[in-house]
Amino acid sequence: RNQRTLSMTDNDTDDFPELDSALVERITSIDETEAAQRANALRQGLSDYDLDDEDLGILDAATEDVDAITYLPALPVLAIVGRPNVGKSALVNRIIGRREAVVEDTPGVTRDRVNYKGEWGQRKFTIVDTGGWEPDAKGINASVAAQAEIAIDLADAVLFVVDATVGATATDEHVVRMLRATKKPVILVANKVDDVHQEPDAAALWSLGLGEPWPVSAVHGRGVADLLDHVMTVLPEISTVAKEEVGGPRRVAILGRPNVGKSSLLNKTAGEERVVVNELAGTTRDPVDEQIELGGKFWRFVDTAGIRRRVNLAQGADFYATLRTSAALEKAEVAVVVLDVTEPISVQDLKIIDLVLESGRALVLAYNKWDLLDDERRIYLEKEIERDLSHVTWAPRVNISAKTGRHLEKLVPALELALASWDTRIPTGKFNALLAELTAEHPHPVRGGKQPRILFGTQAASRPPTFVLFTTGFLDPQYRRFITRRLREIFGFEGSPINVNMRVREKRKR
């Protein structure tokens, strides 16, 4: 029922001992100078191992300044747009090298996932696959255009896919007008050119005025390598759209499925009717940025909601909402996920929470319509939370009524707590002292006659806290969960996801 996208959550119960209070005392009272000296010695020991340039970059970037804010470089974003059934998902699968995006002959079958990770020529990037809507015949131009508009907003460069065997349609020309107006690089892809005899079909697409059409066959792979070589020449090294703004009011995305009370929450915090509120689900069309004073501080709130549902466009609206959610998360630092307590926690609620986890943003859970809760429903709700939200027990929880304003004052401390955790940096000495304690307390199991060792650990970034472990072998997922759990128990991190990454390195041959 709740198909989670994260394979590794921090709260799965593994066979590890409960936290020893003496351990907390030892770590928190540690002599920082001595810990730093020990960490430096471990760091020097890495010179015996084969490290690549990326390893050295991570080690050099690590700072001891606990107030320093660092980000991992934002991967450049490539959006794939085009009308239904031109082969967008087939092209995504070809680029990422695995069959992950759904491919069928029925237009508009892409669902749920919109972001994938790709790599070409040792460069990594994010792909936004825009499919997933089933427009009615009348609304097709507007639907494809709206989809392209969101994708452009999300992307550093755009692949515009056209079916070369059909040629340019009125819908394609409708989108071209929008693409010409953008400042983003647009690459025209002529798909379904399976052999040299079909290349004239691709050449005919010069007429669209988007420059040279790149003939490819997504299904057979023909021409895709040349296309990707070209994409790398226009895609920036670091994303210009996904990079974080620094400074100014903290940015809050209000997320949730249609009609859970997102707009009511924004209106109540703003103290006036800023956003249309309607019983019809999905009345908010675009993200609305509002600077709001709350708890004596200014915040920038982004209200993102389901796109208005046109006739025969119900499924498409959900897909648009996912795209909008992704776009809002790119611009936000913390997400408030609004849940309607009068209804069971749904798969859609869980998908939205997973989007937040994947984006690495801080998280606050707002249980709305609390004033409508009766005792019986409250019992069921607590059981649902225990069953479905066990992977985010670390997220601050506020029980509110957006309509009446009940307990809205609790939102600010929850936001501040989550953002403080998101910004947190653990000194390298303390982190390595913790790792030494943990591996002594509970060594990693032997696998294939070998026991992986942790050579050194460092926090590579904050926002979100991202830790890198240099190891002699692959650490089991449950062992990484154990480390993550101890990090939470000792250092808090309430409201922030934690990434624990590994770099397995072998000893340099003498």
Side-chain angles (χ1 to χ4, degrees), residues 207-227:
S207 63
L208 285 170
L210 286 176
E212 180 182 356
W214 288 80
V216 304
S217 169
V219 171
H220 302 298
R222 184 176 186 269
V224 174
D226 291 338
L227 170 66

mmCIF file of all heavy atoms in Angstrom, residues 207-227:
data_model
loop_
_atom_site.group_PDB
_atom_site.id
_atom_site.type_symbol
_atom_site.label_atom_id
_atom_site.label_comp_id
_atom_site.label_asym_id
_atom_site.label_seq_id
_atom_site.Cartn_x
_atom_site.Cartn_y
_atom_site.Cartn_z
ATOM 1 N N SER A 207 12.329 22.744 -40.301
ATOM 2 C CA SER A 207 11.272 23.750 -40.486
ATOM 3 C C SER A 207 10.744 24.301 -39.153
ATOM 4 O O SER A 207 10.119 25.358 -39.119
ATOM 5 C CB SER A 207 10.100 23.148 -41.274
ATOM 6 O OG SER A 207 9.528 22.080 -40.523
ATOM 7 N N LEU A 208 10.978 23.573 -38.047
ATOM 8 C CA LEU A 208 10.489 24.037 -36.741
ATOM 9 C C LEU A 208 11.257 25.260 -36.232
ATOM 10 O O LEU A 208 10.813 25.949 -35.314
ATOM 11 C CB LEU A 208 10.576 22.914 -35.700
ATOM 12 C CG LEU A 208 9.512 21.818 -35.817
ATOM 13 C CD1 LEU A 208 9.837 20.649 -34.897
ATOM 14 C CD2 LEU A 208 8.130 22.381 -35.483
ATOM 15 N N GLY A 209 12.434 25.505 -36.820
ATOM 16 C CA GLY A 209 13.186 26.704 -36.436
ATOM 17 C C GLY A 209 13.917 26.573 -35.116
ATOM 18 O O GLY A 209 14.220 27.574 -34.460
ATOM 19 N N LEU A 210 14.203 25.329 -34.685
ATOM 20 C CA LEU A 210 14.943 25.122 -33.439
ATOM 21 C C LEU A 210 16.375 24.650 -33.713
ATOM 22 O O LEU A 210 17.034 24.109 -32.850
ATOM 23 C CB LEU A 210 14.232 24.080 -32.559
ATOM 24 C CG LEU A 210 12.956 24.536 -31.850
ATOM 25 C CD1 LEU A 210 12.321 23.372 -31.110
ATOM 26 C CD2 LEU A 210 13.247 25.671 -30.866
ATOM 27 N N GLY A 211 16.818 24.855 -34.952
ATOM 28 C CA GLY A 211 18.166 24.427 -35.294
ATOM 29 C C GLY A 211 18.196 22.989 -35.776
ATOM 30 O O GLY A 211 17.175 22.414 -36.156
ATOM 31 N N GLU A 212 19.380 22.381 -35.673
ATOM 32 C CA GLU A 212 19.596 21.049 -36.243
ATOM 33 C C GLU A 212 18.831 19.976 -35.475
ATOM 34 O O GLU A 212 18.937 19.870 -34.267
ATOM 35 C CB GLU A 212 21.095 20.720 -36.193
ATOM 36 C CG GLU A 212 21.415 19.353 -36.776
ATOM 37 C CD GLU A 212 22.899 19.000 -36.689
ATOM 38 O OE1 GLU A 212 23.690 19.850 -36.234
ATOM 39 O OE2 GLU A 212 23.243 17.871 -37.043
ATOM 40 N N PRO A 213 18.022 19.154 -36.199
ATOM 41 C CA PRO A 213 17.374 18.016 -35.529
ATOM 42 C C PRO A 213 18.393 16.878 -35.348
ATOM 43 O O PRO A 213 19.137 16.571 -36.275
ATOM 44 C CB PRO A 213 16.266 17.600 -36.516
ATOM 45 C CG PRO A 213 16.327 18.579 -37.652
ATOM 46 C CD PRO A 213 17.656 19.239 -37.617
ATOM 47 N N TRP A 214 18.409 16.271 -34.171
ATOM 48 C CA TRP A 214 19.321 15.152 -33.904
ATOM 49 C C TRP A 214 18.558 13.849 -34.099
ATOM 50 O O TRP A 214 17.674 13.526 -33.307
ATOM 51 C CB TRP A 214 19.874 15.248 -32.482
ATOM 52 C CG TRP A 214 20.863 16.370 -32.370
ATOM 53 C CD1 TRP A 214 20.592 17.696 -32.232
ATOM 54 C CD2 TRP A 214 22.291 16.260 -32.439
ATOM 55 N NE1 TRP A 214 21.744 18.422 -32.195
ATOM 56 C CE2 TRP A 214 22.814 17.569 -32.322
ATOM 57 C CE3 TRP A 214 23.175 15.196 -32.572
ATOM 58 C CZ2 TRP A 214 24.186 17.843 -32.344
ATOM 59 C CZ3 TRP A 214 24.538 15.461 -32.593
ATOM 60 C CH2 TRP A 214 25.033 16.763 -32.485
ATOM 61 N N PRO A 215 18.882 13.086 -35.190
ATOM 62 C CA PRO A 215 18.136 11.846 -35.445
ATOM 63 C C PRO A 215 18.567 10.734 -34.482
ATOM 64 O O PRO A 215 19.758 10.444 -34.351
ATOM 65 C CB PRO A 215 18.521 11.496 -36.891
ATOM 66 C CG PRO A 215 19.830 12.164 -37.130
ATOM 67 C CD PRO A 215 19.915 13.350 -36.211
ATOM 68 N N VAL A 216 17.602 10.135 -33.775
ATOM 69 C CA VAL A 216 17.916 9.031 -32.868
ATOM 70 C C VAL A 216 16.835 7.962 -32.976
ATOM 71 O O VAL A 216 15.731 8.224 -33.465
ATOM 72 C CB VAL A 216 18.007 9.478 -31.381
ATOM 73 C CG1 VAL A 216 19.008 10.584 -31.183
ATOM 74 C CG2 VAL A 216 16.652 9.868 -30.828
ATOM 75 N N SER A 217 17.185 6.770 -32.489
ATOM 76 C CA SER A 217 16.188 5.735 -32.245
ATOM 77 C C SER A 217 16.328 5.352 -30.779
ATOM 78 O O SER A 217 17.281 4.658 -30.407
ATOM 79 C CB SER A 217 16.428 4.519 -33.141
ATOM 80 O OG SER A 217 15.600 3.454 -32.706
ATOM 81 N N ALA A 218 15.406 5.867 -29.957
ATOM 82 C CA ALA A 218 15.487 5.592 -28.513
ATOM 83 C C ALA A 218 15.406 4.093 -28.246
ATOM 84 O O ALA A 218 16.078 3.571 -27.351
ATOM 85 C CB ALA A 218 14.372 6.327 -27.778
ATOM 86 N N VAL A 219 14.585 3.383 -29.021
ATOM 87 C CA VAL A 219 14.390 1.956 -28.800
ATOM 88 C C VAL A 219 15.665 1.171 -29.136
ATOM 89 O O VAL A 219 16.075 0.276 -28.396
ATOM 90 C CB VAL A 219 13.192 1.431 -29.636
ATOM 91 C CG1 VAL A 219 13.121 -0.084 -29.586
ATOM 92 C CG2 VAL A 219 11.900 2.045 -29.106
ATOM 93 N N HIS A 220 16.325 1.506 -30.244
ATOM 94 C CA HIS A 220 17.512 0.750 -30.689
ATOM 95 C C HIS A 220 18.826 1.378 -30.216
ATOM 96 O O HIS A 220 19.882 0.757 -30.325
ATOM 97 C CB HIS A 220 17.522 0.613 -32.209
ATOM 98 C CG HIS A 220 16.300 -0.063 -32.752
ATOM 99 N ND1 HIS A 220 15.968 -1.360 -32.427
ATOM 100 C CD2 HIS A 220 15.312 0.386 -33.562
ATOM 101 C CE1 HIS A 220 14.831 -1.685 -33.031
ATOM 102 N NE2 HIS A 220 14.409 -0.633 -33.719
ATOM 103 N N GLY A 221 18.777 2.626 -29.748
ATOM 104 C CA GLY A 221 19.996 3.287 -29.276
ATOM 105 C C GLY A 221 20.739 4.048 -30.349
ATOM 106 O O GLY A 221 21.744 4.711 -30.069
ATOM 107 N N ARG A 222 20.269 3.979 -31.588
ATOM 108 C CA ARG A 222 20.970 4.628 -32.697
ATOM 109 C C ARG A 222 21.024 6.153 -32.483
ATOM 110 O O ARG A 222 20.015 6.795 -32.247
ATOM 111 C CB ARG A 222 20.228 4.311 -34.000
ATOM 112 C CG ARG A 222 20.897 4.832 -35.246
ATOM 113 C CD ARG A 222 20.133 4.378 -36.483
ATOM 114 N NE ARG A 222 20.844 4.742 -37.702
ATOM 115 C CZ ARG A 222 20.668 5.880 -38.352
ATOM 116 N NH1 ARG A 222 19.802 6.764 -37.896
ATOM 117 N NH2 ARG A 222 21.357 6.154 -39.448
ATOM 118 N N GLY A 223 22.215 6.723 -32.557
ATOM 119 C CA GLY A 223 22.371 8.178 -32.503
ATOM 120 C C GLY A 223 22.334 8.780 -31.106
ATOM 121 O O GLY A 223 22.580 9.979 -30.937
ATOM 122 N N VAL A 224 22.030 7.968 -30.071
ATOM 123 C CA VAL A 224 21.867 8.534 -28.716
ATOM 124 C C VAL A 224 23.213 8.992 -28.147
ATOM 125 O O VAL A 224 23.291 10.024 -27.476
ATOM 126 C CB VAL A 224 21.173 7.524 -27.774
ATOM 127 C CG1 VAL A 224 21.124 8.049 -26.340
ATOM 128 C CG2 VAL A 224 19.752 7.237 -28.267
ATOM 129 N N ALA A 225 24.290 8.260 -28.441
ATOM 130 C CA ALA A 225 25.618 8.658 -27.939
ATOM 131 C C ALA A 225 26.016 10.027 -28.492
ATOM 132 O O ALA A 225 26.500 10.891 -27.754
ATOM 133 C CB ALA A 225 26.659 7.599 -28.312
ATOM 134 N N ASP A 226 25.810 10.226 -29.805
ATOM 135 C CA ASP A 226 26.137 11.533 -30.414
ATOM 136 C C ASP A 226 25.289 12.645 -29.788
ATOM 137 O O ASP A 226 25.776 13.748 -29.536
ATOM 138 C CB ASP A 226 25.890 11.501 -31.936
ATOM 139 C CG ASP A 226 26.885 10.602 -32.654
ATOM 140 O OD1 ASP A 226 27.964 10.363 -32.077
ATOM 141 O OD2 ASP A 226 26.575 10.136 -33.770
ATOM 142 N N LEU A 227 24.006 12.328 -29.555
ATOM 143 C CA LEU A 227 23.110 13.312 -28.932
ATOM 144 C C LEU A 227 23.642 13.707 -27.548
ATOM 145 O O LEU A 227 23.718 14.897 -27.214
ATOM 146 C CB LEU A 227 21.698 12.727 -28.808
ATOM 147 C CG LEU A 227 20.704 13.539 -27.967
ATOM 148 C CD1 LEU A 227 20.395 14.870 -28.636
ATOM 149 C CD2 LEU A 227 19.404 12.747 -27.740
#
